[in-house]
């Protein structure tokens, strides 16, 4: 069965209790379930990886060339995750960058993402819904 890679970076394991006024109350498990539900119609499964370590995210990408596409919330690695960027440059499938918060409405250090130029698209500011939007976009881009 086709699998979608769902990558979440540093500090996203504590969603639900991490600054809920910014990131909402959905937990990472809620988000992984929502993406799973969104992809059920396409017959895709989810390979979910969260890590606070850039190296582990890179390994998940390198081991994920067999996946059909990816959703990537890099957390603060958006700012200077050059090794993550290099890993994504070699990832052979379409992928979408997701941010729960509207990063452009926040501190200026969040306004540029080093990975965004490589993404098929970027979804920001829609909270947990953004992951569903990204999943739907990937089904449309890749074709179920
Ligand atoms: C985030 C935005 C980043 O700037 C921040 O460092 C995060 C979460 C988001 O989902 O809104 O960790 O990626």
């Amino acid at each position: 069965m086709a699998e979608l890679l769902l990558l979440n970076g540093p500090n996203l394991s504590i969603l639900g209790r991490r600054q809920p006024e910014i990131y909402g109350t959905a937990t990472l498990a809620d988000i992984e379930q929502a993406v799973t539900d969104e992809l059920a119609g396409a017959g895709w499964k989810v390979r979910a990886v969260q890590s606070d370590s850039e190296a582990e995210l890179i390994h998940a990408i390198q081991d994920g060339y067999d996946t059909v596409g990816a959703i990537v919330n890099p957390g603060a690695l958006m700012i200077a995750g050059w090794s993550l960027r290099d890993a994504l440059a070699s990832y052979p499938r379409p992928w979408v960058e997701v941010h729960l918060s509207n990063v452009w409405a926040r501190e200026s250090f969040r306004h540029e993402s080093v990975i965004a130029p490589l993404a098929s698209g970027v979804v920001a500011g829609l909270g947990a819904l953004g992951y569903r939007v990204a999943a739907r976009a990937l089904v449309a881009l890749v074709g179920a």
Side-chain angles (χ1 to χ4, degrees):
M1 186 186 259
E3 272 190 302
L4 178 130
L5 186 60
L6 172 57
L7 279 188
N8 280 286
N11 296 303
L12 295 169
S13 58
I14 56 166
L15 285 177
R17 57 196 168 93
R18 178 189 177 193
Q19 296 177 281
E21 69 285 3
I22 296 175
Y23 299 114
T25 53
T27 65
L28 188 57
D30 293 336
I31 287 169
E32 289 171 358
Q33 187 58 55
V35 174
T36 300
D37 293 346
E38 193 65 47
L39 295 175
W44 293 4
K45 283 200 324 184
V46 174
R47 187 186 305 175
V49 176
Q50 187 281 326
S51 181
D52 296 333
S53 144
E54 187 170 4
E56 277 187 35
L57 297 170
I58 290 167
H59 291 151
I61 294 164
Q62 291 171 348
D63 293 342
Y65 289 3
D66 58 332
T67 53
V68 289
I71 296 173
V72 182
N73 184 342
L77 292 172
M78 69 181 287
I79 297 160
W82 295 108
S83 304
L84 179 66
R85 184 193 200 276
D86 280 351
L88 286 165
S90 289
Y91 179 67
R93 307 294 302 170
W95 58 274
V96 174
E97 179 175 350
V98 170
H99 297 284
L100 293 142
S101 62
N102 178 354
V103 287
W104 297 287
R106 300 182 63 196
E107 304 96 323
S108 57
F109 67 83
R110 298 183 203 277
H111 292 182
E112 275 200 39
S113 163
V114 297
I115 68 167
L118 304 177
S120 296
V122 179
V123 181
L126 299 182
L129 173 65
Y131 287 85
R132 276 188 180 265
V133 171
R136 198 174 297 185
L138 283 164
V139 170
L141 286 172
V142 172

